[in-house]
Amino acid sequence: MNDSFGAGGFNATAGGSGGGAVQENKAEGILPLTIRHIMESSDNGVQLFGMQYSMVTFMAIVRSIDHSSTKITYRLEDHTGQIDAHLWLEEGDSVKTPGIGTDGYARVIGSVRNQGGSKVIMIFKINQVSSPNEVTTHLLEVLNARFKSEEYAKGSAGGAGFGGAGEQTAASSGGFMETDGNALGLTGKNLVVYKAIKSHISDTGISRQELQKKFTHISASEMQSITDYMTQEGIIYTSIDSDHFLCVDA
């Protein structure tokens, strides 16, 4: 991956002002996140295990683009939420806009700001993404960022991941490790659907229609509940649209 995106923000430095002020830990680099992480970040800035980051990066689908004389506003969405991102234009730059289209993935680097009570992104750089592999890689970087930050904070590779036993397994090795459905706590219909998604070999993932054909005993509403659950838990993610699925650890 681009150096700007790597598990970047792990060169942690501690700094603080004098006069008895509380010491503040800051991390150099760019922290890979999902939109949900950004939306749930503190009003005091993006933090991970006590380290504060000034820059973040994420992958999202561009849902809309609004041009004005001073800025371009992108409405961005990933499988965890939506956020607005602003690219401010200097005088005379109104025609020098990035070649970004709607309904495709973009990679964003920027800083998080509070605007009218909501989180927004001030864009430093935005690029169109052409390969779904870049989306997969970004999700792995999000996981790796958490594991490495926790390792730095605790002085060991142990500790919990994003919230599942499978992530604990990954953390125990200090990085990302392939897991099976049982390690993720999946059973019954959840487990068989997970295995079908994971075993499907495709850059775009398996479609909801294909899953429905494989498991005719699972109703459409139940299949929706199963895929929604695994998406929310970070076990799978949508690829080219909301009806195609890939496993994070595939």
Side-chain angles (χ1 to χ4, degrees):
M1 288 296 289
N2 187 306
D3 290 342
S4 300
F5 290 89
F10 308 124
N11 293 326
T13 57
S17 58
V22 176
Q23 191 178 52
E24 181 181 25
N25 291 330
K26 294 184 178 180
E28 299 172 357
I30 302 170
L31 181 64
L33 295 175
T34 65
I35 290 177
R36 179 180 176 181
H37 295 141
I38 295 170
M39 299 298 287
E40 294 179 351
S41 64
S42 166
D43 289 342
N44 297 322
V46 176
Q47 297 184 28
L48 187 62
F49 290 100
M51 305 306 300
Q52 188 163 3
Y53 295 80
S54 59
M55 298 285 284
V56 299
T57 181
F58 62 98
M59 295 273 200
I61 299 172
V62 181
R63 292 304 186 191
S64 65
I65 305 174
D66 180 42
H67 293 262
S68 73
S69 59
T70 57
K71 67 180 178 181
I72 305 172
T73 298
Y74 300 91
R75 185 66 172 172
L76 303 168
E77 178 183 14
D78 67 7
H79 66 285
T80 67
Q82 293 187 343
I83 195 169
D84 286 335
H86 303 306
L87 178 64
W88 290 93
L89 303 173
E90 297 182 5
E91 186 176 355
D93 281 352
S94 59
V95 295
K96 298 178 182 178
T97 58
I100 305 295
T102 57
D103 299 323
Y105 274 96
R107 176 189 299 171
V108 178
I109 304 176
S111 57
V112 182
R113 296 286 186 272
N114 290 307
Q115 189 176 82
S118 299
K119 297 289 193 310
V120 299
I121 300 295
M122 299 301 163
I123 297 174
F124 172 73
K125 185 177 182 180
I126 182 169
N127 289 322
Q128 195 86 46
V129 172
S130 58
S131 170
N133 291 333
E134 293 189 56
V135 181
T136 306
T137 302
H138 171 73
L139 292 173
L140 297 180
E141 288 176 345
V142 172
L143 291 172
N144 189 56
R146 182 178 177 94
F147 298 146
K148 289 296 185 180
S149 293
E150 185 174 17
E151 179 181 352
Y152 179 87
K154 293 185 176 182
S156 71
F162 275 127
E167 287 139 353
Q168 293 175 11
T169 302
S172 67
S173 67
F176 188 86
M177 180 182 292
E178 185 173 348
T179 58
D180 59 29
N182 297 108
L184 294 169
L186 299 177
T187 59
K189 295 176 182 178
N190 286 15
L191 180 58
V192 295
V193 171
Y194 167 81
K195 288 183 175 179
I197 295 172
K198 186 173 181 179
S199 62
H200 187 79
I201 301 174
S202 168
D203 288 341
T204 58
I206 189 170
S207 70
R208 189 183 303 279
Q209 185 178 15
E210 289 174 284
L211 287 172
Q212 207 67 66
K213 287 181 179 178
K214 282 179 176 287
F215 306 109
T216 55
H217 63 292
I218 301 177
S219 67
S221 60
E222 189 174 13
M223 182 66 74
Q224 180 76 49
S225 297
I226 291 171
T227 55
D228 284 350
Y229 168 76
M230 289 195 286
T231 300
Q232 291 164 7
E233 291 297 311
I235 297 169
I236 65 173
Y237 65 96
T238 54
S239 58
I240 57 173
D241 58 33
S242 60
D243 290 320
H244 283 77
F245 306 99
L246 287 163
C247 282
V248 169
D249 66 346

